[in-house]
Amino acid sequence: MAKGERKAGAVPPSGGGTDAPAGGFVQLLTPDGEHLGSVTTADGTTYSVDFTDEEYRGLYRDLVTVRRLDAEATALQRQGELGLWASLLGQEAAQVGSGRALRPQDMAFPTYREHGVLYCRGIDPIMPFGLFRGVDQGGWDANEHKFNSYTIVIGSQTLHATGYAMGVTMDGKTGSPDGEAVIAYFGDGATSQGEVNESFVWSGVFNAPIVFFCQNNQYAISEPLERQTRIPLYNRAAGYGFPGIRIDGNDVLASYAVTRAALDNARNGQGPTLIEAYTYRMGAHTSSDDPTRYRIASEVESWKAKDPIARVKAFLTKQKLAGDDFFAEVDEGAKQLALSLRERVLAMPDPQPVTMFDHVYPNGSPELDEQRQAFTEYHASFEGSGH
Amino acid sequence: MAEKITLGKALNHGLRRALENDPKVVIMGEDVGKLGGVFRITDGLQKDFGEDRVIDTPLAEAGIVGTAVGLAIRGYRPVCEIQFDGFVFPAYNQIVAQVAKMFYRSKGKVRVPMVIRIPFGGGIGAVEHHSESPEAYFAHTPGLKVVTCSNPADAYTMIQQAIASDDPVVFFEPKRRYWEKGDVDLDAPLSGAYPLHAARVARPGSDATLLAYGPMVRVALDAAAAAAEDGRDLEVIDLRTLSPVDFPTIFESVKRTGRAVVVHEAPGNLGMGAELAAKITEECFYSLEAPVLRVTGYDIPYPAARSEEEYLPDLDRLLDAVDRSFGW
C-alpha cells in the first residue's frame, strides 16, 4: 500500500471476551475485571493501554464522578428543577474513554448526551444543567474548550466536524504526531440520517482527520437497532473507504485505546475511522420517555452485569491498586461535586428577559433593535403598578 | 474606471477580489471548479486560486452547507454555491437550524461568517426546481441575513460585502439577469460602497412607490418608464436586503407618494409582499391613498416553462396594479 493508504473494512477480533456481539468487538477489560493486556484485530493492529496505577484510578474517578453528576441531574429533573435531561447512564465508559483519549488540540463535536466528554474537556459541568433548565442554550466557548455546542437535531454535527476537519488539513495541521484531529459523536439512530452519510462521504473523499464515534446504545428513543440497520454499524465504514471498528463500549480501556489510535491515525494524515462503541443506554432516552414500554426487564438486567464502572472497580481491587478507602473517597468527592452543582443549579437565576434579544446577529439588526426597545418600554410601563 | 460587464461577470469579479483579499475565503459547491459553475459564476477561480480555495464538492447540499459550518467555526469564510433555488431544501435544516443559530446558541462565542449563494427565480425556460423564489423561507428565520442584487454594480459590491460580513448571509442571485450588462467600477474600494443592508431608490418619483427586488427591479423600472408616458411619476425602490428590510427608506417614500405596489415572483401568500404591506399599513396608514397592492406569482408550484410568462409578474400586470391603486 502507498504511504497514507489504509485498508478499509471490518477489523474487530472474532472473540472480544465475554458477551461479545456476533462478529466480536475490541475488549481490554472484561465484565469480571480481568485485564486482557492487549488485543490484536484481524488486520493485525494491536491495541493496548499503558496506564500508571494513578491513571487507572483516575479513570475510575472520572467514571464515578460522571455517573454521579448524571444521577444528580436526573433527580433534579424529577424535582422539576430541570425541564429535561438526557441521561448517559450506562455509557460512561464510552464517553470517558474516548474523552480522555483526546489531546488538548483535538476538537470534539457532541450531540446532547455527551456530558462525560464535556467533563473530560475541562468544561464546568454546570453548563449542560443550564441548557436543560432552560436558562440558556449552552453557551460555553467551543473554541476555547475545543468542544462544540450540543447539537439536538440528530446527526447535523457530524457535518460540522467534517468541515472543521477539512479546515485542519487546509491549515497544514496534519501529518505529524503533534497534529490536530477531530471527533464527532452520534448515536445508532443518527446513522440513518442523510447528513451522517454525507459526512462519511465528505470525510472519505477529502481524507479528513476525523474519528466518527458512534455510541450504539441499542435504541433510538423506542426504536431498536434493527430499525436502523441490517448490518453491524461499523461495517458501514467500508462502503465509504475507511476503516470501521467495533469496541466494547462498556470497557473504558478499549474505548481509550482504540479512540487514541484512531485519532493518532487521523492526525498523522491517514484519514477517518468509524468507531462503533457497543453499549447500552440504561435509562430513558430523555426524562420524557418510558423505556418499560419498549424493552424488557431481562435485557436491562443482562446489561447491568456488564456495568462499565463495576468492572474497573473489580480490576482495581483484584490488582490491589485501590481499596475501600479509595472507593469511599471517590464516592464522597463525587457526592460533594454533585451537591455543589445542585446548589448552583437552584441558585441559577432566570435570564433577564431582554437578553433574549442578544446574539442573534454579530452585526445586529435595526428591526431587532426596535423590538428590543419596544419590549423594554412595555415592561417598564408596569413598574410600580404591582405587576 | 467603470467597465460595462454582465451581472454574472460582476459576481465573478467580486468573488475573485474576495479570494484575493482574504486567504480565509473559500468557495465550495458542485461544479464550481473546472466547470466554473453551471452559470460560470466561478469561472477561472479554481485555476487561479487552487483546489483548496475553490472546492468541487460531492453532490449533496446538506453536506456543502454543513461542512461550511465546520470550516467557519475553524476560522474560514466559506462561500457555498447552491446550484439552483429548488435544490436548497436538502440543506434547509443546516441553514435554518444550524447556520442561523450557532451565534445565538453559543451566546455570541461562535461565529459562522458564511455566504450561501442561490441563483433564484424564473424566466429562463427551465425544468422543475430550477425557477423558484424561496426567499421568504429564509427571511423568516432569525439569525440569517438575506440579500439580493438586481444589477451588475450591486452584484460586484454586495457579494464582497456579504463575504466580509460576520453575519451568515443568504445571497440570492437573479439568474435571468446574469447576462444583463451595466457599468461596474472594479477598482472602487469596498469601504466606500453603498451599505449592504440598505434599500436604494432606483428611480425617484412622486406619484406612487413600486417596491421590487432581484429580477423584478427591471420589470418595475420598465413599468415606471411606461407610466411616465401616461404622465405618472413612479418611484422604484430596489429593496436589496430582504432581512432586515430597510423600512425607513420605504416609509419615507410611501409617506411622500401615498401609494405602494409590491412586486415579486414568489407566491403571494405569506410572502415578502405580505410583510411589506403589513408594515407599510402600520407605519404609513394616514399617508396612504390606497391599500398596498401586491403583484406576485400565483399560489401554485412554479409551473411548466411554457406557462411561466403567464405566471411571472410582468409590465402589464404591474401597470394594471398601478391603475387599481390610482382608481381607489
Side-chain angles (χ1 to χ4, degrees):
Chain A
M1 276 192 299
K3 191 168 181 287
E5 264 185 47
R6 302 173 69 194
K7 279 186 287 186
V11 288
S14 56
T18 54
D19 293 322
F25 54 24
V26 174
Q27 185 185 68
L28 287 168
L29 189 64
T30 70
D32 297 333
E34 187 193 348
H35 196 323
L36 301 175
S38 70
V39 60
T40 301
T41 55
D43 71 349
T45 308
T46 298
Y47 295 99
S48 64
V49 293
D50 184 21
F51 287 126
T52 64
D53 295 350
E54 189 54 39
E55 284 169 335
Y56 279 119
R57 285 190 287 266
L59 280 179
Y60 177 80
R61 187 186 301 277
D62 286 343
L63 293 168
V64 170
T65 303
V66 165
R67 177 170 291 184
R68 186 67 176 81
L69 298 179
D70 185 73
E72 197 66 29
T74 300
L76 283 163
Q77 194 283 327
R78 292 295 180 228
Q79 292 160 15
E81 298 295 343
L82 301 180
L84 187 77
W85 184 252
S87 170
L88 62 67
L89 184 63
Q91 299 177 221
E92 296 88 349
Q95 294 197 15
V96 167
S98 61
R100 287 297 181 209
L102 294 167
R103 298 185 195 272
Q105 69 269 30
D106 296 337
M107 180 76 173
F109 286 81
T111 168
Y112 44 77
R113 201 188 295 283
E114 271 67 70
H115 324 306
V117 185
L118 176 141
Y119 178 77
C120 291
R121 289 316 260 165
I123 296 174
D124 185 342
I126 195 79
M127 298 307 290
F129 288 69
L131 171 70
F132 287 105
R133 188 172 169 83
V135 304
D136 61 32
Q137 297 181 325
W140 56 85
D141 189 329
N143 290 309
E144 181 189 346
H145 297 286
K146 294 281 184 180
F147 185 81
N148 199 54
S149 309
Y150 280 1
T151 305
I152 293 176
V153 180
I154 303 296
S156 291
Q157 75 283 357
T158 58
L159 280 169
H160 307 161
T162 300
Y164 190 96
M166 290 165 65
V168 169
T169 303
M170 287 154 64
D171 288 343
K173 300 288 189 184
T174 56
S176 86
D178 301 326
E180 297 181 36
V182 179
I183 190 165
Y185 288 90
F186 54 101
D188 40 304
T191 62
S192 298
Q193 288 276 10
E195 292 183 30
V196 172
N197 288 276
E198 288 178 30
S199 72
F200 291 171
V201 170
W202 248 258
S203 293
V205 166
F206 291 102
N207 197 42
I210 188 168
V211 175
F212 292 106
F213 195 91
C214 175
Q215 291 172 80
N216 173 3
N217 67 13
Q218 312 298 332
Y219 288 91
I221 307 189
S222 69
E223 294 193 0
L225 186 64
E226 296 74 44
R227 280 284 158 180
Q228 315 298 335
T229 185
R230 283 180 65 165
I231 62 165
L233 292 175
Y234 72 95
N235 283 345
R236 295 251 178 110
Y240 298 93
F242 51 84
I245 185 164
R246 186 160 58 193
I247 64 170
D248 179 349
N250 285 15
D251 171 2
V252 70
L253 304 186
S255 176
Y256 178 92
V258 175
T259 309
R260 173 58 68 110
L263 287 165
D264 282 344
N265 285 338
R267 84 180 79 254
N268 284 321
Q270 296 185 63
T273 301
L274 169 63
I275 296 173
E276 176 190 357
Y278 197 80
T279 181
Y280 195 76
R281 184 230 306 150
M282 296 299 291
H285 162 69
T286 71
S287 46
S288 293
D289 81 329
D290 174 9
T292 63
R293 281 172 172 255
Y294 55 83
R295 59 189 196 190
I296 53 175
S298 61
E299 180 184 289
V300 180
E301 286 305 308
S302 77
W303 277 93
K304 261 186 193 163
K306 305 171 194 170
D307 185 80
I309 299 182
R311 69 178 75 182
V312 181
K313 187 172 187 177
F315 162 71
L316 292 174
T317 304
K318 277 184 196 169
Q319 297 299 316
K320 298 190 170 29
L321 298 178
D324 290 344
D325 289 353
F326 171 76
F327 296 127
E329 182 259 314
V330 168
D331 284 344
E332 182 61 20
K335 181 182 163 193
Q336 290 306 322
L337 180 57
L339 291 178
S340 77
L341 273 178
R342 165 173 288 265
E343 281 178 21
R344 291 171 67 198
V345 167
L346 298 180
M348 220 176 231
D350 286 345
Q352 287 294 315
V354 74
T355 62
M356 71 173 138
F357 293 99
D358 293 346
H359 307 306
V360 181
Y361 302 95
N363 292 327
S365 155
E367 291 175 358
L368 215 49
D369 291 346
E370 263 184 36
Q371 289 179 27
R372 181 203 307 269
Q373 179 71 19
F375 179 90
T376 304
E377 287 169 6
Y378 178 70
H379 282 269
S381 71
F382 293 116
E383 273 177 19
S385 67
H387 279 74
Chain B
M1 171 121 168
E3 285 183 44
K4 213 169 199 53
I5 56 174
T6 64
L7 189 150
K9 198 70 188 166
L11 288 166
N12 178 270
H13 280 296
L15 290 167
R16 174 176 291 277
R17 201 157 135 180
L19 286 163
E20 283 168 357
N21 289 345
D22 185 348
K24 291 297 186 183
V25 172
V26 293
I27 290 172
M28 51 202 294
E30 298 153 21
D31 308 308
V32 297
K34 283 197 176 71
L35 183 64
V38 292
F39 290 107
R40 310 291 183 267
I41 304 303
T42 54
D43 190 28
L45 298 179
Q46 189 184 63
K47 181 171 143 292
D48 294 342
F49 294 93
E51 292 182 5
D52 285 346
R53 302 286 308 282
V54 181
I55 305 167
D56 269 326
T57 67
L59 200 163
E61 286 75 13
I64 294 169
V65 176
T67 53
V69 169
L71 279 163
I73 293 172
R74 177 76 191 179
Y76 285 84
R77 302 184 90 83
V79 183
C80 306
E81 177 172 303
I82 302 294
Q83 209 156 64
F84 283 93
D85 33 61
F87 302 167
V88 72
F89 296 106
Y92 193 64
N93 165 58
Q94 282 292 339
I95 298 172
V96 303
Q98 305 301 330
V99 175
K101 292 181 177 173
M102 278 288 173
F103 189 67
Y104 197 67
R105 187 180 291 152
S106 67
K107 288 187 182 168
K109 296 188 179 80
V110 173
R111 293 178 184 219
V112 285
M114 54 193 283
V115 176
I116 300 158
R117 293 179 40 234
I118 308 175
F120 85 127
I124 63 164
V127 297
E128 193 184 12
H129 310 301
H130 290 69
S131 305
E132 298 170 13
S133 298
E135 62 271 17
Y137 296 110
F138 301 99
H140 190 65
T141 301
L144 300 175
K145 296 283 180 75
V146 182
V147 302
T148 176
C149 54
S150 69
N151 60 74
D154 272 357
Y156 179 64
T157 51
M158 288 174 74
I159 190 63
Q160 293 181 68
Q161 290 169 316
I163 294 168
S165 169
D166 272 359
D167 296 322
V169 178
V170 181
F171 193 95
F172 282 103
E173 299 172 1
K175 71 166 86 79
R176 73 159 137 158
R177 307 295 176 207
Y178 273 149
W179 301 274
E180 293 190 6
K181 286 188 173 180
D183 286 334
V184 180
D185 182 356
L186 295 174
D187 300 322
L190 202 58
S191 57
Y194 198 74
L196 178 62
H197 292 293
R200 178 147 53 188
V201 177
R203 173 196 170 107
S206 55
D207 295 341
T209 303
L210 303 185
L211 298 169
Y213 55 86
M216 281 293 119
V217 173
R218 167 57 50 204
V219 176
L221 287 169
D222 290 348
E229 294 176 12
D230 296 335
R232 282 181 182 149
D233 184 18
L234 305 186
E235 181 148 302
V236 176
I237 292 181
D238 178 356
L239 292 183
R240 293 169 23 106
T241 172
L242 307 183
S243 180
V245 170
D246 178 10
F247 282 112
T249 299
I250 293 169
F251 295 155
E252 187 281 322
S253 173
V254 176
K255 282 179 179 171
R256 185 160 39 73
T257 65
R259 299 177 199 279
V261 179
V262 190
V263 57
H264 59 62
E265 294 188 19
N269 187 37
L270 298 167
M272 285 300 301
E275 180 63 28
L276 291 162
K279 285 271 173 55
I280 291 169
T281 305
E282 287 177 9
E283 186 68 23
C284 309
F285 187 72
Y286 290 108
S287 305
L288 286 172
E289 304 287 342
V292 181
L293 298 178
R294 288 175 287 163
V295 182
T296 69
Y298 300 106
D299 295 323
I300 58 172
Y302 195 87
R306 292 295 177 95
S307 303
E308 71 179 341
E309 291 306 322
E310 300 303 321
Y311 172 88
L312 291 167
D314 60 10
L315 185 139
D316 288 338
R317 279 173 64 194
L318 192 46
L319 287 175
D320 180 62
V322 171
D323 284 346
R324 279 188 285 130
S325 179
F326 279 95
W328 206 265

